[in-house]
Every structure is written in structure tokens, then in C-alpha cells.
């Protein structure tokens, strides 16, 4: 085999292998661990709820798919399954709050949180139904 | 506009406390696609639902972006290419229990029901009749259903390149626990 053809073949194999590795990694990529991601916005529960209630369209454009860090009092804790839990943050006298979903948790009992506690949660905003919804959440404090 | 009207109807149903109503904001709806090439499963644990026991009216509402997939890439393709979640952020079912007289809300037990109504997905509304069951418990009402939807019915086009990976029919699972409001 001529050296030129051999070298081209080696380069093609190397590029093909790199491409396959990148492709497999992209295909198997999980959601990012938000405890290691900087928040796009840091807000109180009342602020984010007010923005959505005043103008849902512009709040949707601003916040959906963004990482939010939201602080407020816990009003409900719902264990959905062994690996999923929803914590709702609601300010008194406000009809809507923020529902934070924690997916892929291994030990729900380790969440040492009760109603009334003021916590800060980081999560990705999905928009608003009756409440503002966050996913892939982590508790910061 | 359609979703706005449904949202208003939803809130009206929720806060018109003249009759026995049940509600949740933490229900589950999932869907499953099976092909020889790949299984795709997604779940949404932020389903809002209201049931009016006196009329049998029931509403489910979800944000499409709250469906979580095993793989982030699937979730991106779902939101960007198929559900077009930015353009059609919400899906809604608004219906009525057809055989309401078969359900005794005061007596714990499991009741088979058929729910007729409008399913709104991807900007398309279709009239559907869904099988399900209602379980009356001491804490409230659990609603469960399994049914098939065909994405093409809702103008969701699956590109030829991934046709082998995505089933023509999706199995939808509903599992929603509602608790009493008011009264």
C-alpha cells in the first residue's frame, strides 16, 4: 500500500472513531447536574410568580429552559415515587407558587425538609400551568 | 388562544366550590414508544387535574417541557422537532365521565369508567373516548388510564430518518391522585 493511501486510511479511521465516540456520548448524555451549574436568574418565589402572572408570554420567553435559583417557604412535599419528589414553594396570600420536581433521587428520606422551611432550589424552568414549574431540581440550602 | 380558554375553564372549575371537587398539581402522565430499534419512555410528574364529582367533568393539563426522558438528546428532539413545545407549550384533556352513575364517590372502591372529551395536543383538538378507572380512597380519588395515541393524528411528523426508532402508536399512561378541595 502506498504511504499516502495508508496515511489517509489511518486518518479516516481516527476521525471515524472520534466521531463515533462523540456521537455515542451525545446520544447517552443525561440532564446536567444543576448543583454544578450557575443559575441564569436568582429570584424569590413571589418575584417569579408575579412576573408570570403579569405577562405569561414575556416571562415564558425570558425564563423557559433557563436555570433558576428560587427561594421561598415550603408549602407542600409530595413523594411521587421512590425516585421522584415534588416540593412546592408558595408565599402566603399568593394563589400560585413554584413546583420543584426532583428526579432520579436515590433516598427521599434524606431530604430533611418540612412544610414552612425556607429553602433555595435550583432547577430548569418549564413554564407555568397553575404554578411555575421547575425540573431537574437540586436543593442548595 | 385555545389554551388560554382551557386554562380559564380549568381555574374556573378549580375554584367554583359549589360542589365536591378534587384536584392535584402533582399527577403523572407518561408515554411509551416501542420499536425493535429502540424503546422511548417519558414521564411528567407535574400534571394539573380537576375533577368535579357532581357533574363528572374532568380536566388534565400538562406543560410539554415537563416531560422528562432518560436521555437529554431525546428530550431535546421531542421539544424541538416533534412536540414543538415553544409553539405549543400546553396539552389539555377536558372531558366528562360518560357513566358517572356507576361511580359512588362516597364508597371506597375501584370503578371502571369511560371518559369522553377533547384532547388538545400540538395545536390539534380531537374528540376521544378513553377507558379508565377511578379509585375512591379515604384520601380522595385516584384516576388511572392507558390508551393509545397516534402522533400523526395531531400533526406531529416523524422524519423518515428516525422512523424506525419511533413507534407509530404511543401508549399513554395516566396515574393521577386527586384530593378534595373546598367543602
Amino acid at each position: 500500500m502506498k504511504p499516502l493511501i495508508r496515511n489517509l486510511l489511518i486518518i479516516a479511521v481516527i476521525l471515524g472513531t472520534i466521531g463515533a465516540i462523540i456521537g455515542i456520548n451525545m446520544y447517552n448524555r443525561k440532564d446536567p447536574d444543576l448543583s454544578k451549574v450557575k443559575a441564569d436568574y436568582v429570584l424569590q418565589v413571589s418575584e417569579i410568580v408575579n412576573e408570570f402572572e403579569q405577562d405569561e408570554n414575556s416571562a415564558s420567553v425570558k425564563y423557559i429552559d433557563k436555570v433558576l435559583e428560587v427561594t421561598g417557604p415550603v408549602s407542600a412535599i409530595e413523594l411521587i415515587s421512590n425516585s421522584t419528589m415534588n416540593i412546592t414553594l408558595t408565599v402566603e396570600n399568593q394563589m400560585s407558587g413554584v413546583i420543584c420536581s426532583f428526579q432520579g433521587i436515590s433516598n427521599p428520606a434524606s431530604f430533611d425538609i418540612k412544610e414552612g422551611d425556607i429553602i433555595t432550589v435550583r432547577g430548569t424552568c418549564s413554564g407555568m400551568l397553575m404554578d411555575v414549574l421547575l425540573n431537574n431540581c437540586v436543593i442548595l440550602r | 388562544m385555545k389554551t388560554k380558554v382551557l386554562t380559564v375553564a380549568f381555574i374556573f372549575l378549580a375554584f367554583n366550590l359549589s360542589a365536591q371537587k378534587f384536584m392535584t398539581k402533582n399527577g403523572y402522565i407518561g408515554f411509551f414508544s416501542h420499536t425493535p430499534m429502540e424503546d422511548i419512555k417519558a414521564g411528567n410528574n407535574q400534571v394539573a387535574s380537576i375533577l368535579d364529582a357532581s357533574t363528572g367533568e374532568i380536566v388534565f393539563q400538562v406543560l410539554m417541557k415537563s416531560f422528562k426522558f432518560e436521555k437529554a438528546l431525546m428530550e431535546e428532539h421531542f421539544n424541538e422537532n416533534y412536540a414543538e413545545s415553544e409553539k405549543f407549550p400546553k396539552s389539555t384533556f377536558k372531558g366528562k365521565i360518560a357513566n358517572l352513575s356507576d361511580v359512588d364517590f362516597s364508597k371506597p372502591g375501584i370503578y371502571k369508567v369511560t371518559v369522553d372529551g377533547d384532547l388538545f395536543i400540538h395545536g390539534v383538538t380531537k374528540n376521544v373516548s378513553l377507558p379508565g378507572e377511578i379509585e375512591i380512597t379515604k384520601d380522595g380519588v385516584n384516576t388511572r388510564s392507558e390508551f393509545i395515541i397516534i402522533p400523526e393524528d395531531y400533526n406531529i411528523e416523524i422524519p423518515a430518518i428516525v422512523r424506525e426508532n419511533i413507534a407509530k402508536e404511543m401508549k399513554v399512561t395516566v396515574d393521577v391522585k386527586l384530593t378534595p378541595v373546598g367543602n
Side-chain angles (χ1 to χ4, degrees), chain A residues 21-59:
Chain A
I21 291 170
I22 291 171
I24 289 167
N25 281 342
M26 275 182 69
Y27 176 73
N28 289 316
R29 183 166 48 89
K30 305 272 184 197
D31 284 318
D33 175 359
L34 295 191
S35 63
K36 295 167 184 155
V37 174
K38 193 174 179 294
D40 296 304
Y41 295 95
V42 178
L43 302 140
Q44 295 294 314
V45 168
S46 53
E47 293 175 291
I48 182 84
V49 170
N50 283 340
E51 276 202 55
F52 269 95
E53 285 182 340
Q54 279 162 20
D55 187 344
E56 187 177 341
N57 288 339
S58 64

Side-chain angles (χ1 to χ4, degrees), chain A residues 49 53 90-97 130-131, chain B residues 11 15 25:
Chain A
V49 170
E53 285 182 340
T90 316
V91 176
E92 212 175 332
N93 302 325
Q94 216 165 18
M95 207 164 74
S96 300
M130 296 175 77
D131 302 84
Chain B
I11 292 168
F15 298 101
K25 300 170 179 178

